[in-house]
Amino acid sequence: YANIQKMRENRTAPVDSMGCDKVNDQDVPPAVQRFQCLISLMLSSQTKDEINFAAMTRLREHGLTVQSLIDTSEEKIGQLIYPVGFWKTKAKYIKEVCQVLKDKYDCDIPRTVAELCKLKGVGPKMAHICMSSAWNEPSGIGVDTHVHRISGRLGWTQKECKTPEHTRVALESWLPRDLWVEVNWMLVGFGQEICRPVGPKCNECLNRFMCPTGQNWTPSPKKNPSPKKKPSPKKKVKE
């Protein structure tokens, strides 16, 4: 764990400047900031931070409050958030969630994981990150694909942990509570830069000789450049 902290000291990964907690407007009321954090999390699934950040920037320029999105057509919201993953479904969910927030929460967001998970398009990972980022109340570890994958690679979880939710429960059983917020952004950035899903840079990892994947890592053979094709002789055209 300390080695990953060291590798993440410079905070140069996309999540460090464009993560879900970096996109809300600091000059708006707290309730609006919390709403913007929730929307960013809803957009983030199956979407790179760079694309999510750009979509959130467009939404903010359009007007990113509960009422402004209620007054915006689903088609327009789709245009603003495209090309985030599943943008059509997310545009629909955003419209539904905004109406719920207005009717039940006075344009704020729920304050418990259970209530957050009742919103369309919000799962446990989003809810736990929202609790820590929006409410400053850590409730659990937000486990996305990076956290799930890296925890398994390092042997931090058992083979039985086949889903992010299983991984969350396993990590919370031994990781000190004061690290529950840090571990998400730390492993996400680590996964973006070094412990990548395909072609991990094990040669740059301080855990290489402690990690089962790193121990079996071998550098990819360098491909020889393809020989240049000789240009075919031009055919003479009969006059």
Side-chain angles (χ1 to χ4, degrees):
Y1 193 94
N3 282 341
I4 298 176
Q5 287 177 316
K6 184 173 181 60
M7 288 183 281
R8 291 283 286 118
E9 280 179 348
N10 294 330
R11 302 194 180 194
T12 54
V15 70
D16 297 315
S17 57
M18 293 178 280
C20 293
D21 59 337
K22 307 294 183 183
V23 295
N24 57 312
D25 189 345
Q26 298 297 315
D27 298 324
V28 297
V32 177
Q33 291 186 37
R34 290 190 286 270
F35 169 68
Q36 292 181 354
C37 179
L38 174 63
I39 294 298
S40 180
L41 285 163
M42 291 177 67
L43 296 180
S44 69
S45 106
Q46 303 296 313
T47 304
K48 290 184 177 180
D49 285 327
E50 299 91 332
I51 294 175
N52 188 43
F53 188 86
M56 283 295 294
T57 300
R58 291 191 293 273
L59 283 172
R60 284 175 53 186
E61 290 171 350
H62 170 79
L64 188 49
T65 64
V66 171
Q67 189 60 54
S68 68
L69 293 191
I70 287 175
D71 296 337
T72 303
S73 69
E74 184 179 317
E75 180 182 6
K76 179 62 177 177
I77 292 175
Q79 292 172 358
L80 291 167
I81 67 175
Y82 178 85
V84 301
F86 305 103
W87 60 274
K88 288 185 179 179
T89 301
K90 289 176 182 178
K92 179 182 178 181
Y93 286 169
I94 286 171
K95 287 289 290 183
E96 293 182 25
V97 165
C98 285
Q99 195 60 56
V100 171
L101 297 183
K102 182 177 181 179
D103 294 343
K104 293 185 64 177
Y105 299 97
D106 194 26
C107 292
D108 207 335
I109 67 172
R111 196 162 188 163
T112 67
V113 169
E115 287 182 282
L116 283 165
C117 285
K118 290 179 182 178
L119 300 175
K120 281 286 186 70
V122 178
K125 178 207 81 171
M126 298 181 198
H128 286 300
I129 295 176
C130 195
M131 287 298 297
S132 61
S133 297
W135 290 110
N136 196 28
E137 295 178 9
S139 57
I141 298 172
V143 178
D144 69 347
T145 55
H146 289 294
V147 178
H148 179 60
R149 178 184 73 255
I150 294 168
S151 296
R153 275 183 178 174
L154 292 172
W156 287 0
T157 56
Q158 302 300 317
K159 291 182 179 179
E160 290 76 18
C161 293
K162 295 182 179 180
T163 68
E165 188 60 12
H166 290 153
T167 293
R168 178 186 69 80
V169 174
L171 287 176
E172 289 177 3
S173 70
W174 64 269
L175 193 66
R177 193 179 183 93
D178 61 347
L179 298 177
W180 285 8
V181 174
E182 175 190 77
V183 71
N184 176 270
W185 71 260
M186 187 177 73
L187 291 187
V188 169
F190 181 56
Q192 290 174 336
E193 294 189 309
I194 296 178
C195 196
R196 300 182 301 187
V198 179
K201 299 179 179 180
C202 296
N203 59 315
E204 297 180 18
C205 182
L206 298 179
N207 286 330
R208 177 181 171 186
F209 299 106
M210 293 181 278
C211 168
T213 301
Q215 290 171 1
N216 296 322
W217 177 84
T218 55
S220 301
K222 292 183 179 180
K223 294 181 180 179
N224 294 322
S226 302
K228 292 183 178 180
K229 292 183 179 179
K230 294 181 180 180
S232 55
K234 292 183 179 179
K235 293 182 180 179
K236 291 184 179 180
V237 179
K238 292 182 180 180
E239 295 181 355

